[in-house]
Amino acid sequence: MNVPNFAPGTDPEMLRRWAQTIEGLGFDLLMVSDHIAVTPDVAEQYPAPFYEPFTTLSWLAGVTRRVRLGTTVLIVPYRHPLLTARMAANLNRLSGGRLVLGVGVGWARQEFEALGVPFRRRGALTDEYLHAIRDAWRNTDDYDTAAIPIWVGGNSDAGIRRAVLHGDAWHPLRFTPGWLTKAVGRLKATADELGRPVPALMPRIALRETLEAVTDPERLAGVGTINQIIADIERIRLLGAETVVLDPFNGDPTEIRQPERTWQTLAALAEHHKSQEDR
């Protein structure tokens, strides 16, 4: 689950309830998003307050026991790579090895300007910083951490290439059901071209249950009746995905204050998964 860590209505108690609900239902992974400066372009989609991901996940590690903790996605150019390496290694160690580091290049031009980071170099900086982070972790005497999986986000060809070169997994975000089939072919072709292994597939899809079937050809995977959502997840599994992250935020901040409907959908999905395992 991608847990909303932003907008009015989000506070420590809401985050705790989310985490314990997810863990109680048997879900495997809890992820949060990343922004540092809530500039107007960020606030238009993700209004303040915005809880910083490493701080938030460190706190949630203390109120959970089993569920893995991750970022979807950490904007790599926003932080010095040695700071990111240090925070990630410390969080992984303190949580008992539960961290998944999902990463991306970012999109909010005004936020880049506020942080003094060159927007046009964000791709090159991400590549450089990911290399530096992995180099830092090799010093296990200092960083004291087991391997932390890196999931590289980005739906573009550049994102796919970055996942092949730097990632343990490719982490595409919010797409139509048919798009992923073709994209997986591009992923394999890129890996072959670069002479690298194909990274694991760990996508993030929308999550919005409707009473009536959604027939719009531009329907996002994860949007529709419970049967449509189940079918989408199964289709993604057959493409080779080991994990599917569900994202319940569909642009309406008021829904964050009332997550119970989403929790009902999660309970139905958990029950379906359990019934499949019992067969």
Side-chain angles (χ1 to χ4, degrees), residues 38-66:
V38 185
T39 47
D41 50 354
V42 174
E44 187 175 352
Q45 297 189 42
Y46 308 107
F50 206 109
Y51 285 75
E52 194 279 327
F54 283 115
T55 310
T56 303
L57 292 175
S58 296
W59 184 72
L60 291 176
V63 298
T64 56
R65 291 293 176 267
R66 175 195 57 80

Side-chain angles (χ1 to χ4, degrees), residues 109-129:
R109 185 183 293 269
Q110 292 173 350
E111 187 174 22
F112 274 85
E113 292 173 355
L115 296 171
V117 179
F119 182 79
R120 292 190 177 185
R121 293 201 64 235
R122 66 194 189 281
L125 287 172
T126 298
D127 293 339
E128 176 186 334
Y129 286 9

Side-chain angles (χ1 to χ4, degrees), residues 114-169:
L115 296 171
V117 179
F119 182 79
R120 292 190 177 185
R121 293 201 64 235
R122 66 194 189 281
L125 287 172
T126 298
D127 293 339
E128 176 186 334
Y129 286 9
L130 288 175
H131 184 77
I133 290 166
R134 286 199 184 274
D135 272 354
W137 286 343
R138 291 189 180 97
N139 185 348
T140 54
D141 289 339
D142 184 5
Y143 286 86
D144 190 26
T145 186
I148 299 170
I150 293 179
W151 295 6
V152 177
N155 295 16
S156 66
D157 288 341
I160 289 174
R161 184 180 181 87
R162 183 169 295 109
V164 170
L165 290 173
H166 301 292
D168 300 293

Side-chain angles (χ1 to χ4, degrees), residues 3 11 35 53 91 125 129 140 165 173:
V3 172
D11 58 24
H35 283 287
L91 174 54
L125 287 172
Y129 286 9
T140 54
L165 290 173
L173 313 177

Side-chain angles (χ1 to χ4, degrees), residues 142-212:
D142 184 5
Y143 286 86
D144 190 26
T145 186
I148 299 170
I150 293 179
W151 295 6
V152 177
N155 295 16
S156 66
D157 288 341
I160 289 174
R161 184 180 181 87
R162 183 169 295 109
V164 170
L165 290 173
H166 301 292
D168 300 293
W170 180 42
H171 184 49
L173 313 177
R174 300 178 70 97
F175 44 78
T176 60
W179 177 87
L180 188 61
T181 302
K182 296 179 180 178
V184 166
R186 298 206 316 271
L187 178 69
K188 293 177 179 176
T190 301
D192 289 344
E193 175 192 335
L194 296 173
R196 307 271 297 186
V198 180
L201 177 63
M202 308 288 194
R204 186 180 100 198
I205 66 173
L207 179 66
R208 180 167 66 86
E209 184 182 357
T210 62
L211 296 178
E212 301 292 333

